[in-house]
Amino acid sequence: MQLWSLIGNSQRLDGGAMFGNAPKALWSRWIETDEQNRIPLACRCLLAKDLDGKNVLFETGIGAFFEPSMRERYGVVEDRHVLLDSLADAGLTHEDIDAVVLSHLHFDHAGGLLAAWQEGQGPSLLFPKATFIVGAEHWERAQHPHPRDRASFIPELCGLLEQSGRLELVDGAHSDALGQSVRFSYSDGHTPGLMLAEVGGVVFCADLIPGRYWVHLPITMGYDRWPEKLIDEKRDFLGDKLVRGIKLFFTHDHACAVASVTRDERGRYGTADEMGELKGWEVA
């Protein structure tokens, strides 16, 4: 099996929103803002090539489904579907993907399921052969969102996934489509039923830990629905990955794809062995 980090469409979002109640005097040491106080964010996906004979894509990023005014509102940088280019660099097309694992269905993680926006045309699914794997608890949230996060969902997406006939809802550690090769755990601090996938010694951190700076326990996002619970979940998650030597895969870190977990003498978590990309990383 090979692991690849694939870049999707990138974003620029308000730094204050991304760092929650942390003051700008702190987080501005880590990352620069533009004139609108926005910071650069990746929407990075993980590809497992030949995982038990399957090509498995973990998330799809934000994609290019937004019409131009919404693309501007949400700071999406590119107007083409960048993930399709990244798949081509890995020698694949979206038609070669056998399964797509979605940590949750917020548009910056699931929008890449959809074809790029075209005037006069409604949304349509890509990945015609893939099983779409979603956590059962989060599926319920997506169908009945709270006013706090309703705008984070794509209204048509649940219906399209159901109509595909290739939707699998998961509520345990493993899925039928992927068997024992992928292990799932769950978190509720960002959104109910966030599903975290572990494969080949790497865990997809999704929005539990968007990037290196959020490894620090007190740092959460303004988008998190339950920050105190998220901090507790993050502490348990990082402790487990440190003990077992599991690497962290970051979806939103603009410069770092993968890192190891560290903990100093004061008990503060951090990262080491940072890698900007994975390109055919062999896993036994």
Side-chain angles (χ1 to χ4, degrees):
M1 182 178 67
Q2 292 182 348
L3 296 180
W4 296 67
S5 60
L6 303 184
I7 292 295
N9 291 67
S10 57
Q11 282 186 281
R12 300 191 73 88
L13 288 181
D14 184 82
M18 286 301 299
F19 286 102
N21 65 350
K24 186 176 181 180
L26 174 63
W27 59 259
S28 61
R29 303 174 196 167
W30 304 330
I31 190 166
E32 293 184 4
T33 64
D34 65 12
E35 67 282 354
Q36 298 181 53
N37 202 48
R38 301 179 305 176
I39 63 172
L41 296 169
C43 287
R44 186 181 290 104
C45 313
L46 176 64
L47 171 67
K49 291 183 72 173
D50 196 22
L51 191 162
D52 298 331
K54 297 180 178 180
N55 295 317
V56 181
L57 184 63
F58 296 84
E59 300 213 340
T60 62
I62 198 168
F65 76 97
F66 276 137
E67 53 91 5
S69 65
M70 293 295 286
R71 188 172 70 238
E72 175 66 23
R73 175 183 298 181
Y74 287 107
V76 183
V77 176
E78 307 89 357
D79 59 2
R80 71 187 192 283
H81 201 318
V82 175
L83 176 60
L84 301 185
D85 297 338
S86 296
L87 280 168
D89 290 341
L92 299 175
T93 72
H94 70 101
E95 296 174 337
D96 297 316
I97 300 300
D98 299 294
V100 178
V101 177
L102 297 154
S103 71
H104 61 305
L105 295 175
H106 289 172
F107 61 69
D108 56 326
H109 296 257
L113 291 172
L114 301 175
W117 176 82
Q118 292 186 12
E119 189 170 5
Q121 297 189 17
S124 60
L125 278 179
L126 300 173
F127 307 98
K129 300 175 184 176
T131 299
F132 301 110
I133 301 171
V134 183
E137 182 181 0
H138 184 72
W139 179 257
E140 290 300 314
R141 177 69 163 210
Q143 293 193 311
H144 307 285
H146 189 274
R148 177 178 170 82
D149 66 351
R150 182 176 290 120
S152 296
F153 293 98
I154 303 168
E156 302 89 350
L157 185 57
C158 285
L160 290 170
L161 291 173
E162 286 185 307
Q163 292 162 23
S164 75
R166 292 175 277 116
L167 174 66
E168 181 185 349
L169 300 181
V170 181
D171 60 5
H174 303 285
S175 72
D176 292 338
L178 301 179
Q180 301 296 305
S181 297
V182 179
R183 176 175 177 261
F184 298 113
S185 59
Y186 300 88
S187 165
D188 294 319
H190 176 69
T191 188
L194 180 76
M195 190 166 70
L196 304 157
E198 184 179 317
V199 59
V202 171
V203 63
F204 196 103
C205 296
D207 279 346
L208 177 65
I209 308 175
R212 291 163 292 172
Y213 315 116
W214 293 265
V215 168
H216 185 40
L217 291 181
I219 302 298
T220 61
M221 294 187 289
Y223 302 109
D224 296 328
R225 49 97 63 157
W226 195 350
E228 289 186 7
K229 184 173 181 63
L230 186 141
I231 289 169
D232 294 338
E233 292 173 336
K234 190 162 52 168
R235 179 187 291 111
D236 293 342
F237 179 87
L238 289 170
D240 173 71
K241 304 307 175 282
L242 177 64
V243 168
R244 296 195 294 118
I246 303 299
K247 293 184 179 295
L248 309 179
F249 187 94
F250 301 125
T251 184
H252 288 314
D253 194 308
H254 72 291
C256 178
V258 179
S260 300
V261 185
T262 64
R263 186 168 56 200
D264 66 19
E265 64 281 356
R266 299 169 56 192
R268 291 168 55 102
Y269 286 102
T271 58
D273 308 320
E274 298 171 356
M275 293 184 283
E277 65 176 353
L278 296 178
K279 198 166 185 178
W281 193 34
E282 297 279 351
V283 178

